[in-house]
Amino acid sequence: MSTAPQLVVHRDKELMAQAAAARLITRIVDAQASRGSASVVLTGGRNGNGLLAALAAAPARDAIDWSRLDLWWGDERFLPEGDPERNVTQARQALLDSVPLDPKRVHAMPASDGPYGTDVDAAAAAYAEELARAAGPENHGPVPTFDVLMLGVGPDTHVASLFPELPAVRELDRSVVGVHGAPKPPPTRVTLTLPAIRAAREVWLLAAGEDKAQAAAIALSGAGEIQAPAAGAYGRSRTLWLLDAAAASQLPRSLYPPASA
């Protein structure tokens, strides 16, 4: 069942990143207090990395027990380990290398020079198996019930590496798939599917900048998920769109919450 999206609109992308980082700290601390650990799915791109950098700079980050946090990724560029274009490489630079994480709980997607070589479909299947091993009986499915899953929204409405009309956005059975021929370079990627995304308690969609305004308007106007993948990304208990004023500029005012900052 989809949850109706909630919108929070911030004045600019810096404020959005800082507020989202503060929100994420709260969610992680709450999850660790209630369940002992927390699981978060990270996203790359300028907004995802901006959030991680804001989190690294936040004094409240020390409230998190980093050793009891599982980190996953929504998608990854299928490039060699350490490539600067890989989401995990950028995440390490922005935050991960500066906090005391348990390396066994940092679940990076396979690289193209890893054990599966250049076979992106085998790499995707291996990540699906890793997710399945982490899922408990209470999760009722092949992936853990993530506490927060974050997604950047592309100008074409893509989320993770689910692009409009391509086979991956139509996938309903597998939790992770290889992507061939993505319209945005690099063409070969690994991505969670919509069913895996929708296993999360909360899904947060991040959009900042004028180039995201049309995508936000389309995804929030009732578009179908095949044509607008962002429209198909929602959480079990909450779906949150975190926007700056520029990205929200084409939305009808009726969608704005009264308390937007």
Side-chain angles (χ1 to χ4, degrees):
M1 190 178 85
S2 66
T3 49
Q6 297 174 285
L7 276 66
V8 180
V9 182
H10 295 285
R11 185 176 62 246
D12 55 45
K13 67 181 183 203
E14 290 79 19
L15 189 59
M16 182 187 109
Q18 291 163 7
R23 189 184 290 271
L24 183 59
I25 291 168
T26 301
R27 288 289 171 277
I28 292 171
V29 170
D30 286 350
Q32 290 179 336
S34 62
R35 288 183 292 279
S37 63
S39 62
V40 172
V41 180
L42 300 181
T43 185
R46 66 173 191 247
N47 293 319
N49 290 321
L51 185 155
L52 294 181
L55 181 50
R61 79 179 203 189
D62 295 334
I64 294 171
D65 183 343
W66 294 97
S67 69
R68 293 189 293 133
L69 176 64
D70 281 283
L71 294 178
W72 303 87
W73 271 263
D75 74 322
E76 185 57 276
R77 298 166 170 105
F78 197 54
L79 296 167
E81 185 67 40
D83 189 288
E85 290 298 304
R86 273 175 64 81
N87 289 334
V88 66
T89 307
Q90 296 173 8
R92 289 188 192 285
Q93 292 170 345
L95 171 69
L96 309 191
D97 286 347
S98 62
V99 291
L101 291 157
D102 178 350
K104 295 190 295 293
R105 300 181 83 157
V106 178
H107 308 274
M109 287 181 162
S112 63
D113 58 351
Y116 312 100
T118 56
D119 187 343
V120 69
D121 298 310
Y127 203 68
E129 288 172 16
E130 188 173 353
L131 283 162
R133 286 195 299 272
E138 71 280 4
N139 298 129
H140 310 295
V143 300
T145 303
F146 311 112
D147 291 296
V148 177
L149 182 147
M150 295 181 288
L151 297 166
V153 180
D156 60 354
T157 73
H158 84 266
V159 290
S161 285
L162 302 174
F163 293 91
E165 306 283 356
L166 291 191
V169 78
R170 302 174 187 271
E171 179 65 48
L172 295 177
D173 298 321
R174 292 176 289 174
S175 60
V176 188
V177 294
V179 176
H180 305 264
K184 178 182 176 184
T188 309
R189 296 156 173 256
V190 178
T191 187
L192 298 189
T193 60
L194 286 176
I197 288 169
R198 297 194 284 238
R201 288 184 177 87
E202 297 197 12
V203 169
W204 298 2
L205 296 107
L206 313 175
E210 288 180 18
D211 60 326
K212 306 297 178 72
Q214 187 175 17
I218 291 169
L220 286 163
S221 67
E225 62 194 38
I226 304 300
Q227 294 76 31
Y234 48 82
R236 290 185 176 183
S237 61
R238 196 176 201 200
T239 305
L240 199 59
W241 280 73
L242 302 173
L243 306 143
D244 73 349
S249 61
Q250 294 185 29
L251 295 175
R253 292 296 301 186
S254 60
L255 285 176
Y256 274 50
S260 284

